[in-house]
Amino acid sequence: MNVNPNEFGTSLESSVRSKEEQDNAILNMYMERKSLVLQFLQSNLSPQLLEHHQKKLELLKKCYYYVEVMPPHIVMRDESRALISTDVFQIIDSWRLERMKKVARTQTEIQLVLLTELLEQLQRGREELVCYIETSDVITFLSKWDSVMQKMSVLSKLMNKVLSLQVPGKLHAKHRLVSHADIRGTRIPNIKLSLTTKMPVVFDRKESVAYKNWAHLKWFTENQESSPEQYELHFRLLKHGTQTELGQRGIVAISSNTCVVFDLLPDRSYEFTIRRAETYTLVYETWHDTITLTTAKDQYLEGNLFCHVLLSMLIFFF
C-alpha cells in the first residue's frame, strides 16, 4: 500500500492540533469551574462571614427572650354595655399561657442548638471545598464536579437556614388562649404569639469603680431601650470568715442604669452581677454579666500599722 507522505503529515498535524484544542477546552473548563467555587467561598462562605454569624450566635445565647402577645389590648363591653379597652393578659387563660411559655422556651433552646450545629456544618463544608481545590488535579477536579455542585447547593440552603433561625419565630397555639366564659359575649379576638429578644445587659467596665467602702456600678445594652427597665444588681463578698462578712451580700432593685452600693468592707473583693428583673412574659435567659471589684485599703489602718512597725523597730534598736 502506498502512503502519501503529505497526507500522513497533514493527518498527524491535525491530530496534534485536535489534541491541543481538547486539552485547552478541558483546561478552560477547569479554570471556569474552579473560579465558581472560589467565588462561592469568598461570597457565601468567607471566614469573615462565618465569624460574623458565630458572633451573632454568641450574642443570641446571651439575649433575653420574651413571649409577645398581639394585640396588647382589646375592646370589650362592660356590664353596662359600654366599650372599654382591656389588657389582653386580663382575659388570657393563665394556665394555657404558661404552657405556651414552656413551648417558647423549648423552641428557643432548639433554635440555638440548631444554629450551633449549622455553623459547624458550614465551617466543615468550607474546609472540604478548600481542600478539594488545593489538592485535586484537573482530571480529579472535573470528575467530581457534580458532587461539588451538590455540596455548594446544600451549603447555600444551610446558610439560608442560619439566617432564618437568627430571627425569633412565631408561636402556634394548638388551643385557644381565651375562654368563652371570660369575655361576656365579646367576639374572641385573633390573638397571635411570637418570640422577641432584648440585648444582654453588660457592665461598663470603665465607669464601674470600687472605693474604700462603696462602689459605683454602671451598665448598658448594645441598643439601649428608650423605655425604662427594671434591673436587679446582685453583689456578694467573695471571701468571708466572720459573721459580719457573711452578711456582705444582697440584691438591689433599680430602674436606672447606675447604682451605688454602700457599707462595703475595705480591701475586699466583691462580685457584682447585673440582670433584668423577671417579668411575666420572660421565657428564656441563661447569661448574666459579672464583674469583680476590689475596694480600697483603709488608709487609717495602714497608718496605724506603719506606726506600730516603726515603734517596734525603735524599741529593738534602743
Side-chain angles (χ1 to χ4, degrees):
M1 182 177 65
N2 295 326
V3 177
N4 190 328
N6 293 331
E7 290 181 359
F8 178 78
T10 303
S11 176
L12 179 62
E13 183 180 343
S14 176
S15 297
V16 171
R17 186 164 55 248
S18 177
K19 181 66 167 58
E20 289 179 352
E21 290 175 353
Q22 184 179 2
D23 289 344
N24 289 335
I26 292 175
L27 184 60
N28 289 336
M29 182 185 297
Y30 166 75
M31 296 302 295
E32 289 176 2
R33 293 181 175 181
K34 182 179 179 180
S35 177
L36 286 175
V37 179
L38 289 173
Q39 184 178 356
F40 177 80
L41 290 173
Q42 293 170 0
S43 59
N44 296 52
L45 282 181
S46 68
Q48 296 80 6
L49 183 60
L50 292 178
E51 183 181 2
H52 167 76
H53 288 303
Q54 186 62 44
K55 290 181 178 179
K56 182 67 178 293
L57 172 60
E58 296 305 317
L59 180 63
L60 289 172
K61 289 180 178 179
K62 297 177 180 179
C63 284
Y64 291 69
Y65 291 78
Y66 300 84
V67 60
E68 183 179 44
V69 182
M70 295 298 291
H73 298 87
I74 65 169
V75 177
M76 296 180 57
R77 293 187 181 275
D78 60 11
E79 295 178 355
S80 63
R81 305 298 295 171
L83 295 176
I84 58 172
S85 178
T86 305
D87 190 311
V88 70
F89 286 106
Q90 294 183 7
I91 65 169
I92 286 181
D93 186 296
S94 59
W95 181 80
R96 294 176 183 176
L97 181 61
E98 285 300 319
R99 287 183 60 185
M100 288 307 303
K101 287 169 63 176
K102 292 180 180 179
V103 171
R105 179 179 179 86
T106 301
Q107 180 172 313
T108 301
E109 292 172 340
I110 291 175
Q111 284 188 218
L112 294 176
V113 171
L114 281 176
L115 275 172
T116 302
E117 294 178 353
L118 289 173
L119 287 176
E120 290 175 355
Q121 291 181 39
L122 288 172
Q123 183 61 45
R124 289 196 300 268
R126 174 184 168 76
E127 293 170 358
E128 291 172 5
L129 288 178
V130 170
C131 180
Y132 169 72
I133 289 177
E134 294 178 347
T135 60
S136 299
D137 56 32
V138 175
I139 301 302
T140 303
F141 184 96
L142 294 177
S143 66
K144 295 182 178 180
W145 180 246
D146 288 342
S147 62
V148 172
M149 288 289 290
Q150 183 179 2
K151 184 72 174 179
M152 290 193 295
S153 176
V154 169
L155 292 174
S156 295
K157 292 178 181 178
L158 291 181
M159 180 58 77
N160 291 334
K161 188 67 173 177
V162 166
L163 296 175
S164 66
L165 287 174
Q166 287 178 349
V167 180
K170 295 181 180 180
L171 296 170
H172 303 284
K174 294 183 179 180
H175 306 284
R176 289 189 179 274
L177 297 176
V178 180
S179 171
H180 287 271
D182 296 331
I183 58 175
R184 295 186 295 272
T186 303
R187 181 176 178 272
I188 297 177
N190 183 22
I191 296 177
K192 297 181 180 180
L193 301 178
S194 61
L195 277 170
T196 61
T197 60
K198 286 187 178 181
M199 292 293 106
V201 186
V202 182
F203 278 114
D204 187 331
R205 278 156 170 78
K206 292 183 178 180
E207 298 291 333
S208 299
V209 184
Y211 298 90
K212 186 177 72 172
N213 55 7
W214 60 284
H216 174 263
L217 287 305
K218 186 175 182 180
W219 52 88
F220 62 93
T221 59
E222 186 173 333
N223 53 344
Q224 187 68 49
E225 285 78 8
S226 57
S227 58
E229 291 195 81
Q230 295 294 322
Y231 300 97
E232 289 180 359
L233 177 67
H234 299 241
F235 69 94
R236 68 184 182 93
L237 182 65
L238 289 180
K239 293 182 180 180
H240 49 73
T242 65
Q243 192 66 32
T244 302
E245 292 176 337
L246 284 173
Q248 288 288 302
R249 61 173 58 236
I251 302 175
V252 182
I254 192 167
S255 57
S256 66
N257 66 334
T258 60
C259 181
V260 176
V261 181
F262 294 101
D263 298 327
L264 303 180
L265 298 176
D267 195 21
R268 296 288 195 279
S269 293
Y270 287 85
E271 181 185 82
F272 298 89
T273 302
I274 186 65
R275 56 165 292 181
R276 285 187 174 89
E278 187 170 345
T279 64
Y280 185 55
T281 58
L282 179 66
V283 296
Y284 183 84
E285 55 153 347
T286 59
W287 183 88
H288 309 115
D289 195 21
T290 298
I291 188 174
T292 300
L293 298 176
T294 302
T295 52
K297 295 181 179 180
D298 192 322
Q299 299 298 325
Y300 175 76
L301 292 178
E302 284 187 345
N304 283 351
L305 179 61
F306 175 76
C307 292
H308 177 74
V309 172
L310 182 61
L311 181 61
S312 299
M313 293 176 64
L314 291 174
I315 293 174
F316 175 79
F317 285 111
F318 292 100

